[in-house]
PDB file of all heavy atoms in Angstrom:
ATOM      1  N   ARG F 113      -5.536  -2.002  29.603  1.00 85.00           N
ATOM      2  CA  ARG F 113      -5.297  -1.736  30.996  1.00 85.00           C
ATOM      3  C   ARG F 113      -6.535  -2.510  31.716  1.00 85.00           C
ATOM      4  O   ARG F 113      -7.714  -2.392  31.370  1.00 85.00           O
ATOM      5  CB  ARG F 113      -5.504  -0.231  31.251  1.00 85.00           C
ATOM      6  CG  ARG F 113      -4.437   0.613  30.733  1.00 85.00           C
ATOM      7  CD  ARG F 113      -2.972   0.039  30.997  1.00 85.00           C
ATOM      8  NE  ARG F 113      -2.712  -0.181  32.367  1.00 85.00           N
ATOM      9  CZ  ARG F 113      -2.445   0.909  33.250  1.00 85.00           C
ATOM     10  NH1 ARG F 113      -2.080   2.037  32.754  1.00 85.00           N
ATOM     11  NH2 ARG F 113      -2.175   0.692  34.574  1.00 85.00           N
ATOM     12  N   SER F 114      -6.222  -3.240  32.700  1.00 81.00           N
ATOM     13  CA  SER F 114      -7.200  -4.075  33.461  1.00 81.00           C
ATOM     14  C   SER F 114      -8.149  -3.189  34.315  1.00 81.00           C
ATOM     15  O   SER F 114      -9.295  -3.639  34.638  1.00 81.00           O
ATOM     16  CB  SER F 114      -6.509  -5.077  34.331  1.00 81.00           C
ATOM     17  OG  SER F 114      -5.574  -4.369  35.308  1.00 81.00           O
ATOM     18  N   ASN F 115      -7.822  -2.028  34.708  1.00 81.00           N
ATOM     19  CA  ASN F 115      -8.594  -1.243  35.514  1.00 81.00           C
ATOM     20  C   ASN F 115      -9.373  -0.204  34.763  1.00 81.00           C
ATOM     21  O   ASN F 115     -10.042   0.767  35.258  1.00 81.00           O
ATOM     22  CB  ASN F 115      -7.610  -0.419  36.444  1.00 81.00           C
ATOM     23  CG  ASN F 115      -6.642   0.566  35.760  1.00 81.00           C
ATOM     24  OD1 ASN F 115      -6.400   0.445  34.372  1.00 81.00           O
ATOM     25  ND2 ASN F 115      -5.874   1.319  36.507  1.00 81.00           N
ATOM     26  N   PHE F 116      -9.448  -0.372  33.367  1.00 83.00           N
ATOM     27  CA  PHE F 116     -10.288   0.535  32.566  1.00 83.00           C
ATOM     28  C   PHE F 116     -11.807   0.094  32.862  1.00 83.00           C
ATOM     29  O   PHE F 116     -12.136  -1.097  32.473  1.00 83.00           O
ATOM     30  CB  PHE F 116      -9.834   0.465  31.043  1.00 83.00           C
ATOM     31  CG  PHE F 116     -10.659   1.339  30.235  1.00 83.00           C
ATOM     32  CD1 PHE F 116     -10.947   2.670  30.546  1.00 83.00           C
ATOM     33  CD2 PHE F 116     -11.172   0.771  29.052  1.00 83.00           C
ATOM     34  CE1 PHE F 116     -11.710   3.587  29.713  1.00 83.00           C
ATOM     35  CE2 PHE F 116     -11.868   1.642  28.108  1.00 83.00           C
ATOM     36  CZ  PHE F 116     -12.075   2.866  28.511  1.00 83.00           C
ATOM     37  N   LYS F 117     -12.620   0.951  33.207  1.00 84.00           N
ATOM     38  CA  LYS F 117     -13.964   0.461  33.646  1.00 84.00           C
ATOM     39  C   LYS F 117     -14.894   0.073  32.353  1.00 84.00           C
ATOM     40  O   LYS F 117     -15.765  -0.830  32.401  1.00 84.00           O
ATOM     41  CB  LYS F 117     -14.695   1.633  34.365  1.00 84.00           C
ATOM     42  CG  LYS F 117     -14.165   1.955  35.761  1.00 84.00           C
ATOM     43  CD  LYS F 117     -14.844   3.113  36.341  1.00 84.00           C
ATOM     44  CE  LYS F 117     -14.139   3.298  37.783  1.00 84.00           C
ATOM     45  NZ  LYS F 117     -14.790   4.359  38.448  1.00 84.00           N
ATOM     46  N   LEU F 118     -14.618   0.798  31.189  1.00 84.00           N
ATOM     47  CA  LEU F 118     -15.479   0.582  29.997  1.00 84.00           C
ATOM     48  C   LEU F 118     -14.804  -0.496  29.134  1.00 84.00           C
ATOM     49  O   LEU F 118     -15.074  -0.388  27.927  1.00 84.00           O
ATOM     50  CB  LEU F 118     -15.817   1.788  29.273  1.00 84.00           C
ATOM     51  CG  LEU F 118     -16.651   2.907  30.117  1.00 84.00           C
ATOM     52  CD1 LEU F 118     -16.792   4.080  29.330  1.00 84.00           C
ATOM     53  CD2 LEU F 118     -17.987   2.163  30.467  1.00 84.00           C
ATOM     54  N   LYS F 119     -13.854  -1.198  29.593  1.00 83.00           N
ATOM     55  CA  LYS F 119     -13.036  -2.148  28.826  1.00 83.00           C
ATOM     56  C   LYS F 119     -13.908  -3.137  28.075  1.00 83.00           C
ATOM     57  O   LYS F 119     -13.715  -3.412  26.834  1.00 83.00           O
ATOM     58  CB  LYS F 119     -12.007  -2.806  29.651  1.00 83.00           C
ATOM     59  CG  LYS F 119     -11.225  -3.988  28.981  1.00 83.00           C
ATOM     60  CD  LYS F 119     -10.291  -4.651  29.895  1.00 83.00           C
ATOM     61  CE  LYS F 119      -9.373  -5.706  29.136  1.00 83.00           C
ATOM     62  NZ  LYS F 119      -8.547  -6.381  30.109  1.00 83.00           N
ATOM     63  N   GLY F 120     -14.894  -3.771  28.690  1.00 84.00           N
ATOM     64  CA  GLY F 120     -15.775  -4.718  28.079  1.00 84.00           C
ATOM     65  C   GLY F 120     -16.683  -4.222  27.114  1.00 84.00           C
ATOM     66  O   GLY F 120     -16.742  -4.884  26.059  1.00 84.00           O
ATOM     67  N   PHE F 121     -17.241  -2.973  27.302  1.00 86.00           N
ATOM     68  CA  PHE F 121     -18.062  -2.346  26.303  1.00 86.00           C
ATOM     69  C   PHE F 121     -17.319  -2.104  24.965  1.00 86.00           C
ATOM     70  O   PHE F 121     -17.650  -2.419  23.922  1.00 86.00           O
ATOM     71  CB  PHE F 121     -18.646  -1.142  26.867  1.00 86.00           C
ATOM     72  CG  PHE F 121     -19.459  -0.288  25.944  1.00 86.00           C
ATOM     73  CD1 PHE F 121     -20.673  -0.723  25.292  1.00 86.00           C
ATOM     74  CD2 PHE F 121     -18.908   0.844  25.253  1.00 86.00           C
ATOM     75  CE1 PHE F 121     -21.418   0.022  24.381  1.00 86.00           C
ATOM     76  CE2 PHE F 121     -19.546   1.678  24.438  1.00 86.00           C
ATOM     77  CZ  PHE F 121     -20.756   1.335  24.090  1.00 86.00           C
ATOM     78  N   PHE F 122     -16.143  -1.468  25.143  1.00 85.00           N
ATOM     79  CA  PHE F 122     -15.349  -0.984  24.013  1.00 85.00           C
ATOM     80  C   PHE F 122     -14.669  -2.161  23.212  1.00 85.00           C
ATOM     81  O   PHE F 122     -14.383  -2.205  22.017  1.00 85.00           O
ATOM     82  CB  PHE F 122     -14.331   0.093  24.381  1.00 85.00           C
ATOM     83  CG  PHE F 122     -14.952   1.483  24.624  1.00 85.00           C
ATOM     84  CD1 PHE F 122     -14.980   2.045  25.859  1.00 85.00           C
ATOM     85  CD2 PHE F 122     -15.306   2.184  23.472  1.00 85.00           C
ATOM     86  CE1 PHE F 122     -15.572   3.160  26.020  1.00 85.00           C
ATOM     87  CE2 PHE F 122     -15.787   3.384  23.637  1.00 85.00           C
ATOM     88  CZ  PHE F 122     -16.042   3.994  24.880  1.00 85.00           C
ATOM     89  N   THR F 123     -14.444  -3.314  23.927  1.00 85.00           N
ATOM     90  CA  THR F 123     -13.995  -4.465  23.380  1.00 85.00           C
ATOM     91  C   THR F 123     -14.980  -5.041  22.418  1.00 85.00           C
ATOM     92  O   THR F 123     -14.670  -5.407  21.299  1.00 85.00           O
ATOM     93  CB  THR F 123     -13.689  -5.554  24.273  1.00 85.00           C
ATOM     94  OG1 THR F 123     -12.553  -5.108  25.249  1.00 85.00           O
ATOM     95  CG2 THR F 123     -13.182  -6.822  23.679  1.00 85.00           C
ATOM     96  N   TRP F 124     -16.182  -5.011  22.717  1.00 88.00           N
ATOM     97  CA  TRP F 124     -17.301  -5.418  21.772  1.00 88.00           C
ATOM     98  C   TRP F 124     -17.408  -4.350  20.669  1.00 88.00           C
ATOM     99  O   TRP F 124     -17.669  -4.832  19.511  1.00 88.00           O
ATOM    100  CB  TRP F 124     -18.719  -5.456  22.633  1.00 88.00           C
ATOM    101  CG  TRP F 124     -18.749  -6.796  23.416  1.00 88.00           C
ATOM    102  CD1 TRP F 124     -18.699  -6.963  24.563  1.00 88.00           C
ATOM    103  CD2 TRP F 124     -18.880  -8.041  22.766  1.00 88.00           C
ATOM    104  NE1 TRP F 124     -18.888  -8.345  24.988  1.00 88.00           N
ATOM    105  CE2 TRP F 124     -19.056  -9.038  23.806  1.00 88.00           C
ATOM    106  CE3 TRP F 124     -19.211  -8.546  21.437  1.00 88.00           C
ATOM    107  CZ2 TRP F 124     -19.274 -10.291  23.620  1.00 88.00           C
ATOM    108  CZ3 TRP F 124     -19.319  -9.916  21.169  1.00 88.00           C
ATOM    109  CH2 TRP F 124     -19.417 -10.784  22.287  1.00 88.00           C
ATOM    110  N   VAL F 125     -17.223  -3.244  20.927  1.00 86.00           N
ATOM    111  CA  VAL F 125     -17.258  -2.154  19.879  1.00 86.00           C
ATOM    112  C   VAL F 125     -16.216  -2.305  18.850  1.00 86.00           C
ATOM    113  O   VAL F 125     -16.500  -2.121  17.648  1.00 86.00           O
ATOM    114  CB  VAL F 125     -17.164  -0.713  20.496  1.00 86.00           C
ATOM    115  CG1 VAL F 125     -17.012   0.329  19.454  1.00 86.00           C
ATOM    116  CG2 VAL F 125     -18.351  -0.365  21.403  1.00 86.00           C
ATOM    117  N   VAL F 126     -15.124  -2.813  19.327  1.00 86.00           N
ATOM    118  CA  VAL F 126     -13.952  -3.093  18.311  1.00 86.00           C
ATOM    119  C   VAL F 126     -14.225  -4.491  17.621  1.00 86.00           C
ATOM    120  O   VAL F 126     -13.901  -4.661  16.468  1.00 86.00           O
ATOM    121  CB  VAL F 126     -12.710  -3.174  19.123  1.00 86.00           C
ATOM    122  CG1 VAL F 126     -11.390  -3.596  18.180  1.00 86.00           C
ATOM    123  CG2 VAL F 126     -12.362  -1.710  19.593  1.00 86.00           C
ATOM    124  N   PHE F 127     -14.786  -5.357  18.395  1.00 85.00           N
ATOM    125  CA  PHE F 127     -14.887  -6.818  17.864  1.00 85.00           C
ATOM    126  C   PHE F 127     -16.067  -6.860  16.836  1.00 85.00           C
ATOM    127  O   PHE F 127     -15.807  -7.518  15.877  1.00 85.00           O
ATOM    128  CB  PHE F 127     -15.221  -7.728  19.084  1.00 85.00           C
ATOM    129  CG  PHE F 127     -15.411  -9.129  18.438  1.00 85.00           C
ATOM    130  CD1 PHE F 127     -14.495  -9.973  17.978  1.00 85.00           C
ATOM    131  CD2 PHE F 127     -16.823  -9.680  18.565  1.00 85.00           C
ATOM    132  CE1 PHE F 127     -14.666 -11.293  17.556  1.00 85.00           C
ATOM    133  CE2 PHE F 127     -17.147 -10.812  18.158  1.00 85.00           C
ATOM    134  CZ  PHE F 127     -15.977 -11.743  17.727  1.00 85.00           C
ATOM    135  N   ILE F 128     -17.083  -6.219  17.042  1.00 85.00           N
ATOM    136  CA  ILE F 128     -18.314  -6.392  16.084  1.00 85.00           C
ATOM    137  C   ILE F 128     -17.949  -5.916  14.700  1.00 85.00           C
ATOM    138  O   ILE F 128     -18.335  -6.678  13.759  1.00 85.00           O
ATOM    139  CB  ILE F 128     -19.412  -5.532  16.662  1.00 85.00           C
ATOM    140  CG1 ILE F 128     -20.083  -6.154  18.018  1.00 85.00           C
ATOM    141  CG2 ILE F 128     -20.653  -5.454  15.649  1.00 85.00           C
ATOM    142  CD1 ILE F 128     -21.144  -5.290  18.619  1.00 85.00           C
ATOM    143  N   PRO F 129     -17.366  -4.849  14.480  1.00 84.00           N
ATOM    144  CA  PRO F 129     -16.901  -4.534  13.005  1.00 84.00           C
ATOM    145  C   PRO F 129     -15.976  -5.592  12.370  1.00 84.00           C
ATOM    146  O   PRO F 129     -15.894  -5.596  11.070  1.00 84.00           O
ATOM    147  CB  PRO F 129     -16.196  -3.241  13.072  1.00 84.00           C
ATOM    148  CG  PRO F 129     -16.718  -2.662  14.302  1.00 84.00           C
ATOM    149  CD  PRO F 129     -16.894  -3.739  15.352  1.00 84.00           C
ATOM    150  N   MET F 130     -15.327  -6.421  13.045  1.00 82.00           N
ATOM    151  CA  MET F 130     -14.458  -7.504  12.457  1.00 82.00           C
ATOM    152  C   MET F 130     -15.356  -8.672  11.881  1.00 82.00           C
ATOM    153  O   MET F 130     -14.955  -9.389  11.049  1.00 82.00           O
ATOM    154  CB  MET F 130     -13.608  -8.136  13.527  1.00 82.00           C
ATOM    155  CG  MET F 130     -12.523  -7.140  14.095  1.00 82.00           C
ATOM    156  SD  MET F 130     -11.442  -7.918  15.163  1.00 82.00           S
ATOM    157  CE  MET F 130     -10.680  -9.123  14.173  1.00 82.00           C
ATOM    158  N   VAL F 131     -16.618  -8.697  12.427  1.00 80.00           N
ATOM    159  CA  VAL F 131     -17.623  -9.734  12.063  1.00 80.00           C
ATOM    160  C   VAL F 131     -18.715  -9.315  11.213  1.00 80.00           C
ATOM    161  O   VAL F 131     -19.087 -10.011  10.129  1.00 80.00           O
ATOM    162  CB  VAL F 131     -18.186 -10.436  13.299  1.00 80.00           C
ATOM    163  CG1 VAL F 131     -19.039 -11.679  12.839  1.00 80.00           C
ATOM    164  CG2 VAL F 131     -17.036 -11.017  14.196  1.00 80.00           C
ATOM    165  N   PHE F 132     -19.251  -8.117  11.454  1.00 80.00           N
ATOM    166  CA  PHE F 132     -20.335  -7.594  10.720  1.00 80.00           C
ATOM    167  C   PHE F 132     -19.925  -6.242  10.153  1.00 80.00           C
ATOM    168  O   PHE F 132     -19.242  -5.561  10.570  1.00 80.00           O
ATOM    169  CB  PHE F 132     -21.575  -7.349  11.595  1.00 80.00           C
ATOM    170  CG  PHE F 132     -21.968  -8.654  12.373  1.00 80.00           C
ATOM    171  CD1 PHE F 132     -21.737  -8.887  13.651  1.00 80.00           C
ATOM    172  CD2 PHE F 132     -22.707  -9.641  11.609  1.00 80.00           C
ATOM    173  CE1 PHE F 132     -22.008  -9.999  14.287  1.00 80.00           C
ATOM    174  CE2 PHE F 132     -23.083 -10.784  12.417  1.00 80.00           C
ATOM    175  CZ  PHE F 132     -22.808 -10.977  13.702  1.00 80.00           C
ATOM    176  N   GLY F 133     -20.590  -6.033   8.932  1.00 77.00           N
ATOM    177  CA  GLY F 133     -20.250  -4.759   8.166  1.00 77.00           C
ATOM    178  C   GLY F 133     -21.590  -4.013   7.958  1.00 77.00           C
ATOM    179  O   GLY F 133     -22.714  -4.588   7.784  1.00 77.00           O
ATOM    180  N   GLY F 134     -21.454  -2.688   8.006  1.00 75.00           N
ATOM    181  CA  GLY F 134     -22.801  -1.885   7.787  1.00 75.00           C
ATOM    182  C   GLY F 134     -23.408  -1.930   6.312  1.00 75.00           C
ATOM    183  O   GLY F 134     -24.445  -1.584   6.234  1.00 75.00           O
ATOM    184  N   GLY F 135     -22.470  -2.351   5.371  1.00 79.00           N
ATOM    185  CA  GLY F 135     -22.974  -2.304   4.114  1.00 79.00           C
ATOM    186  C   GLY F 135     -22.573  -0.826   3.261  1.00 79.00           C
ATOM    187  O   GLY F 135     -22.349   0.100   3.990  1.00 79.00           O
ATOM    188  N   LEU F 136     -22.669  -0.966   1.973  1.00 82.00           N
ATOM    189  CA  LEU F 136     -22.139   0.236   1.324  1.00 82.00           C
ATOM    190  C   LEU F 136     -23.054   1.380   1.309  1.00 82.00           C
ATOM    191  O   LEU F 136     -22.707   2.572   1.458  1.00 82.00           O
ATOM    192  CB  LEU F 136     -21.968  -0.226  -0.254  1.00 82.00           C
ATOM    193  CG  LEU F 136     -21.511   0.765  -1.202  1.00 82.00           C
ATOM    194  CD1 LEU F 136     -20.107   1.408  -0.684  1.00 82.00           C
ATOM    195  CD2 LEU F 136     -21.332   0.353  -2.567  1.00 82.00           C
TER     196      LEU F 136
END
Side-chain angles (χ1 to χ4, degrees):
R113 300 306 306 274
S114 58
N115 57 355
F116 181 47
K117 295 182 180 180
L118 297 177
K119 176 181 177 181
F121 171 75
F122 283 107
T123 299
W124 280 106
V125 171
V126 173
F127 175 73
I128 290 176
M130 296 180 65
V131 183
F132 304 101
L136 182 60

